């Protein structure tokens, strides 16, 4: 397991390095809302000025120490174990709907991209809008209905990868890579057209089962072959989303301070939190990078998924002219991580083997019979 985890980490680092190579030509999310005519700023000068300002350094160091203290405090004190265990159990109850959630997360923004005439990201428009519309709408509807789900997901991912070298702006929508891979692993799930067709085709009494050439010969053997790999869906999701967060936080905010500062000024964000504009930019970039790192390592995955929700809400929905529909995919994939947790090859899994789970802590704190707290043991389950 250690060798596979080390290999996976090496692959992640290589992918991040490859993404960074596109910085010179790729656009940033800030360009969706950057005022026209914004002049770029010197990255080195910006970072040197920021990190030699005592207040900015103090706030950043204080925030980092607070995060470490919060994680350490949680592991030591283990507060609210019954609440946390109940929350995890509730999330586990939604696992049978994971395929549906993933399909919605990919299908809805693809349909929007088709109607708007762009390819994956609003920054990518091509001279053949009709083809773009047909691609986005057809692929999106196939995913939404769950019809030929795995084939459709692989086809969309193929198009993404083929177009990436010539149009690196679609790195802004890098979440499609882990999202479509996860769809290919999980399948359509339920409710889906695939599930309905499979039910009819599997019944020897139906007329359809007598002439269907695909279900028994192709679909069933393929599903059996890929079944052992379905457990890797959380790994694919968190690593892919983590890479996207690091890319957007570091290369697209800290390395493009001119545009980011212009966005801060445009929306008068310093009136909301009265701090140096540079602290807004650096704080946002480092926070996104931290969330990305925690996702990649699978550390406190559900907790940092909630942090990601907060980032999305404040930085996307708070900007009135930001194309929110382009970010539905991120919201959906983070929701999927709330359901799955870190999965295998994660810090969460490593901790679960070495310390008591929240449900175990809750059971040990159950009061004597008749005290009213004995019901905790009956309502919480293992992580």
């Amino acid at each position: 397991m250690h060798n596979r985890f080390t290999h996976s980490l090496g692959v992640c680092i290589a992918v991040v390095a490859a993404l960074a190579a596109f910085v010179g030509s790729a656009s940033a999310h800030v360009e969706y809302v950057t005022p026209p005519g914004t002049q770029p700023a010197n990255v080195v000068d910006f970072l040197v000025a920021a990190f030699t300002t005592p207040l900015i350094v103090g706030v950043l160091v204080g925030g980092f120490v607070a995060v470490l203290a919060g994680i350490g405090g949680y592991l030591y004190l283990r507060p609210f174990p019954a609440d946390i265990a109940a929350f995890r159990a509730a999330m586990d109850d939604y696992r049978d709907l994971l395929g549906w959630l993933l399909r919605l997360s990919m299908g809805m923004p693809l349909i929007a991209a088709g109607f708007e005439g762009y390819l994956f990201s609003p920054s990518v428009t091509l001279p053949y809008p009709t083809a773009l519309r047909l691609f986005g709408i057809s692929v999106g509807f196939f995913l939404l209905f769950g019809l030929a789900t795995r084939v459709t997901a692989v086809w969309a991912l193929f198009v993404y990868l083929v177009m990436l070298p010539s149009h690196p702006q679609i790195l802004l929508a890098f979440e499609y890579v882990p999202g479509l891979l996860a769809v290919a692993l999980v399948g359509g799930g339920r409710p889906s057209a695939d599930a309905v067709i499979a039910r009819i085709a599997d019944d020897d009494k139906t007329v359809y089962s007598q002439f269907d050439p695909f279900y028994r010969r192709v679909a069933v053997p393929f599903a059996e072959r890929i079944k052992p790999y379905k457990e890797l869906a959380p790994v694919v999701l968190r690593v892919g989303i983590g890479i996207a967060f690091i890319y957007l936080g570091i290369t697209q905010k800290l390395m493009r301070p001119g545009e980011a500062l212009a966005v801060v000024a445009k929306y008068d964000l310093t009136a909301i939190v009265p701090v140096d504009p540079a602290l807004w930019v650096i704080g946002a970039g480092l926070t996104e990078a931290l969330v990305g790192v925690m996702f990649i390592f699978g550390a406190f995955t559900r907790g940092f998924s909630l942090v990601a929700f907060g980032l999305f809400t404040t930085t996307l929905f708070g900007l009135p002219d930001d194309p929110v529909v382009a970010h539905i995919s991120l919201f959906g994939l983070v929701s999927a991580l709330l359901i799955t947790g870190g999965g295998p090859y994660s810090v969460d899994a490593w901790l679960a083997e070495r310390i008591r789970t929240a449900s175990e802590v809750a059971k040990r704190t159950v009061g004597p019979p008749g005290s009213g707290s004995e019901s905790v043991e009956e309502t919480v389950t293992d992580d």
Side-chain angles (χ1 to χ4, degrees), residues 178-213:
L180 292 170
L181 278 175
V183 171
L185 286 173
V186 175
R190 67 177 189 90
S192 69
D194 287 343
V196 174
I197 293 173
R199 178 72 66 87
I200 299 174
D202 194 49
D203 188 347
D204 293 332
K205 298 178 181 179
T206 63
V207 175
Y208 179 78
S209 66
Q210 304 304 315
F211 62 85
D212 176 76

Side-chain angles (χ1 to χ4, degrees), residues 80-90 357-360 362 379-383:
F80 315 114
D83 301 78
I84 294 173
F87 172 77
R88 291 172 177 170
T357 63
S359 60
E360 291 170 342
T379 57
V380 299
T381 60
D382 288 339
D383 295 342

Side-chain angles (χ1 to χ4, degrees), residues 239-331:
V239 171
I241 298 173
I243 290 173
F245 265 85
I246 293 174
Y247 175 75
L248 295 174
I250 299 298
T251 67
Q252 301 302 304
K253 287 187 175 64
L254 299 186
M255 296 184 69
R256 302 191 66 171
E259 293 89 336
L261 289 171
V263 173
V264 173
K266 175 182 178 180
Y267 296 103
D268 195 18
L269 298 181
T270 54
I272 301 174
V273 179
V275 296
D276 191 307
L279 183 56
W280 263 98
V281 175
I282 294 177
L286 292 182
T287 300
E288 289 184 1
L290 173 63
V291 172
V293 170
M294 300 303 279
F295 277 158
I296 288 176
F297 283 96
F300 305 97
T301 306
R302 285 184 169 122
F304 277 92
S305 295
L306 294 175
V307 173
F309 267 109
L311 290 175
F312 294 149
T313 301
T314 56
T315 61
L316 298 180
F317 288 161
L319 307 182
D321 51 350
D322 187 72
V324 176
V325 69
H327 306 294
I328 292 176
S329 52
L330 280 172
F331 275 93

Side-chain angles (χ1 to χ4, degrees), residues 218-236:
V218 180
V220 173
F222 181 80
E224 289 298 322
R225 179 171 295 185
I226 203 173
K227 186 176 180 179
Y229 301 100
K230 291 178 68 173
E231 68 171 8
L232 296 179
V235 182
V236 170

